[in-house]
């Protein structure tokens, strides 16, 4: 059962409540999780009781707090890393009885390998801050490819893994899913491609759909009824488009202008600029450089962006956006910054380096399975437990898995300002029905 206390993850109250299932540390699990947000707290034993394990605890949502931590377009790099180097040997972290497979592209070249190492560190940090729970992580290098994922999954399951965490890349997830489903084992993957989610395959990642739903719902709550949008003609834009049209429809709003752009930004910018007089809000969803370029194109087309409420997604959490005079005052959905700042401080104190932005995903995943390890074997990682509508609260804030394998996150609403994002509306304390 999962309980509800301030502190480390422990048991969950698995009954469907309206509040979020938070975990509390029992004495045996009350490890050095930190509750402070500065790096010094990371060195203080016993100070980790709250913020450290935000998972299932109502810890604040995260957001980027620097260039290394900013969100990036999850579809920009096609998830096809360069050829991997020599595979890393399997490793084990923790000495508990409940075995959990962790698949990461540790030998992948470039940024993929760097991210994988940071995510591995975060997973091991979760175990340490949870004060050595009854978990043993079976760490496998999948090389960033489907063959490696399939092999690593098979090895982990043969060694007794009850659940698989990973892979990171969308192309590798189906390979893992095929093996895991054959053994009736759930996977919690880290890809942002919702098309590969499904029965027994849950995504613990930052999905664009959550950003769009949150910002449209907030806009409607402050009286915005007519919307316009300019989106990129790519995979990210397609996902945002579907979510945007559904969200506006749910709120009874109307879309007065909608255009997509590729290399030519001027033509769609002129079309939307001519219709802005009928709109209350304009959604610009793209990475930082492209959002700034689109705002410039709209201004060149005669649009006065100060007369309309600009809206964005988590990709707005970018220094280029904050430095743009045209985008000042724009609202975007993202995790609250405090959670990641606290996590990053503890990570720096432990590893002497900055964590990648996705490192919190591994931390939350490991903390979740560690908390659930207290529940009965055979049920602890079942679909009804993982998809409990109450959800969980992690370093990145509230999240819950849907039955289709996608997730919903509780996000804050931020305002773009010169010094960075400023919270306008906090993250929700619980999920609705």
């Amino acid at each position: 059962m999962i309980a509800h206390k301030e502190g480390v993850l422990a048991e969950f109250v698995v009954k469907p409540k309206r509040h979020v299932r938070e975990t509390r540390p029992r004495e045996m699990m009350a490890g050095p999780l930190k509750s402070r947000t500065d790096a010094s707290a990371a060195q203080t034993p016993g100070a980790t009781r709250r913020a450290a394990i935000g998972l299932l605890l109502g810890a604040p949502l995260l957001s980027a707090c620097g260039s290394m931590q900013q969100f990036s377009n999850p579809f920009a790099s096609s998830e096809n890393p360069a050829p991997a180097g020599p595979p890393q040997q399997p490793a084990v972290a923790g000495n508990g009885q409940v075995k959990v497979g962790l698949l990461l592209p540790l030998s992948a070249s470039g940024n993929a390998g760097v991210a994988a190492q940071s995510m591995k560190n975060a997973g091991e940090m979760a175990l340490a801050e949870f004060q050595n729970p009854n978990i043993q992580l079976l760490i496998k290098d999948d090389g960033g490819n489907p063959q490696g994922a399939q092999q690593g999954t098979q090895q982990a399951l043969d060694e007794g893994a009850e659940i698989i965490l990973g892979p990171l890349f969308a192309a590798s997830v189906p390979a893992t899913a095929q093996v895991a489903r054959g053994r009736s084992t759930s996977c919690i993957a880290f890809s942002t491609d919702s098309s590969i989610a499904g029965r027994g395959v849950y995504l613990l990642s930052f999905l664009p759909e959550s950003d769009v739903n949150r910002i449209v719902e907030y806009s409607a709550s402050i009286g915005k009824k007519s919307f316009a949008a300019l989106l990129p003609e790519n995979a990210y834009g397609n996902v945002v488009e579907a979510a945007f049209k559904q969200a506006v429809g749910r709120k009874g709003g109307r879309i007065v202008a909608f255009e997509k752009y590729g290399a030519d930004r001027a033509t769609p910018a002129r079309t939307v600029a001519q219709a802005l007089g009928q709109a209350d809000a304009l959604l610009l969803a793209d990475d930082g450089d492209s959002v700034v370029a689109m705002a410039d194109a709209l201004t060149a087309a005669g649009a006065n962006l100060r007369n309309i409420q600009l809206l964005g997604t988590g990709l707005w959490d970018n220094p280029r956006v904050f430095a743009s005079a045209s985008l000042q005052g724009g609202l975007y959905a993202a995790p609250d910054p405090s959670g990641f700042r606290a996590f990053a401080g503890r990570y720096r104190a432990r590893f002497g380096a900055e964590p990648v932005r996705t490192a919190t995903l591994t931390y939350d995943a490991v903390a979740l399975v560690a908390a659930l390890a207290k529940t009965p074997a055979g049920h602890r990682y079942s679909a009804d437990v993982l998809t409990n509508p109450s959800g969980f609260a992690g370093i990145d804030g509230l999240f819950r898995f849907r039955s289709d394998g996608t997730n919903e996150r509780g996000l804050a609403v931020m305002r773009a300002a010169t010094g960075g994002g400023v919270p306008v509306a906090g993250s929700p304390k619980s999920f609705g029905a």
Side-chain angles (χ1 to χ4, degrees):
M1 313 277 304
I2 302 179
H4 224 74
K5 281 185 181 174
E6 288 186 356
V8 247
L9 308 173
E11 295 186 333
F12 302 76
V13 179
V14 185
K15 30 189 192 178
K17 296 185 175 181
R18 284 290 181 187
H19 53 62
V20 177
R21 297 183 299 166
E22 299 175 336
T23 54
R24 309 180 150 213
R26 298 198 153 187
E27 291 186 42
M28 68 176 68
M29 304 182 69
L33 297 186
K34 293 111 181 155
S35 60
R36 302 180 190 174
T37 58
D38 57 324
S40 63
Q43 302 170 334
T44 306
T48 51
R49 291 292 184 94
R50 298 187 208 168
I53 238 166
L55 186 69
L56 313 168
L57 265 161
L61 308 181
L62 343 165
S63 92
C65 61
S67 60
M68 289 188 65
Q69 285 78 39
Q70 69 192 40
F71 289 103
S72 59
N73 187 336
F75 298 90
S77 61
S78 75
E79 292 195 341
N80 290 317
Q88 291 194 16
Q89 292 301 308
V92 174
N95 54 12
Q97 296 176 324
V98 179
K99 295 182 178 180
V100 174
L102 174 60
L103 272 63
L104 292 169
L106 294 166
S107 62
S109 62
N111 291 336
V114 172
Q117 184 61 52
S118 184
M119 294 175 75
K120 172 179 175 287
N121 289 347
E124 294 175 351
M125 184 170 125
L127 286 184
E129 293 191 340
F130 202 82
Q131 200 163 50
N132 301 317
N134 190 29
I135 287 290
Q136 184 178 141
L137 281 182
L138 309 177
I139 303 169
K140 309 295 181 183
D141 174 19
D142 63 29
N145 60 73
Q147 295 77 19
Q150 184 177 40
Q151 182 179 8
T153 303
Q154 189 67 61
Q155 289 176 354
L157 293 175
D158 289 346
E159 293 168 20
E162 296 185 29
I163 189 170
I164 301 295
L165 307 182
L168 175 60
F169 295 133
S172 299
V173 175
T176 285
Q178 182 179 20
V179 176
R181 283 175 178 146
R183 302 278 283 271
S184 300
T185 302
S186 296
C187 304
I188 298 177
F190 306 123
S191 169
T192 54
D193 184 354
S194 57
S195 70
I196 49 89
R199 178 177 59 86
V201 179
Y202 305 97
L203 301 184
L204 181 58
S205 48
F206 301 107
L207 302 180
E209 295 92 327
S210 287
D211 294 3
V212 175
N213 290 336
R214 175 63 164 138
I215 200 62
V216 170
E217 289 171 2
Y218 178 78
S219 299
S221 75
I222 59 173
K224 307 304 180 185
K225 299 179 180 179
S226 299
F227 295 82
L230 265 168
L231 306 178
E233 186 68 75
N234 57 25
Y236 181 79
N238 293 341
V239 171
V240 171
E241 175 184 1
F244 173 67
K245 290 179 177 178
Q246 291 172 9
V248 171
R250 282 196 304 271
K251 289 301 177 181
R254 65 189 185 110
I255 298 174
V256 299
F258 181 90
E259 292 290 332
K260 283 189 164 182
Y261 56 86
D264 174 26
R265 290 187 173 90
T267 302
R270 281 195 299 270
T271 302
V272 169
Q274 292 170 3
L276 286 186
Q278 308 170 53
D280 300 322
L282 168 63
L283 175 68
L284 300 177
D286 208 338
D287 59 47
D289 289 345
S290 295
V291 167
V292 172
M294 200 68 248
D296 291 343
L298 284 164
T299 300
N304 185 347
L305 299 184
R306 296 187 181 280
N307 291 339
I308 192 166
Q309 180 59 64
L310 297 177
L311 307 176
T313 63
L315 298 187
W316 275 43
D317 203 342
N318 184 294
R320 288 294 308 278
V321 172
F322 303 142
S324 170
S326 299
L327 298 174
Q328 296 296 297
L331 302 176
Y332 63 95
D336 184 278
S338 55
F340 185 75
R341 282 198 295 263
F343 166 81
R346 299 194 312 277
Y347 185 101
R348 285 192 299 271
R350 181 176 290 271
F351 300 107
E354 293 289 339
V356 298
R357 185 58 187 78
T358 52
T360 55
L361 301 181
T362 319
Y363 185 102
D364 280 357
V366 171
L368 172 59
V369 298
L372 290 174
K374 298 290 291 181
T375 59
H379 181 67
R380 57 175 65 107
Y381 304 130
S382 63
D384 62 325
V385 171
L386 293 176
T387 62
N388 187 293
S390 299
F392 309 96
I395 295 294
D396 290 311
L398 304 186
F399 68 91
R400 61 181 173 183
F401 296 117
R402 298 182 182 276
S403 59
D404 65 0
T406 60
N407 71 62
E408 178 181 357
R409 286 185 176 275
L411 300 173
V413 174
M414 311 290 288
R415 184 179 72 249
T418 304
V422 178
V424 172
S427 54
K429 302 304 180 185
S430 64
F431 286 112

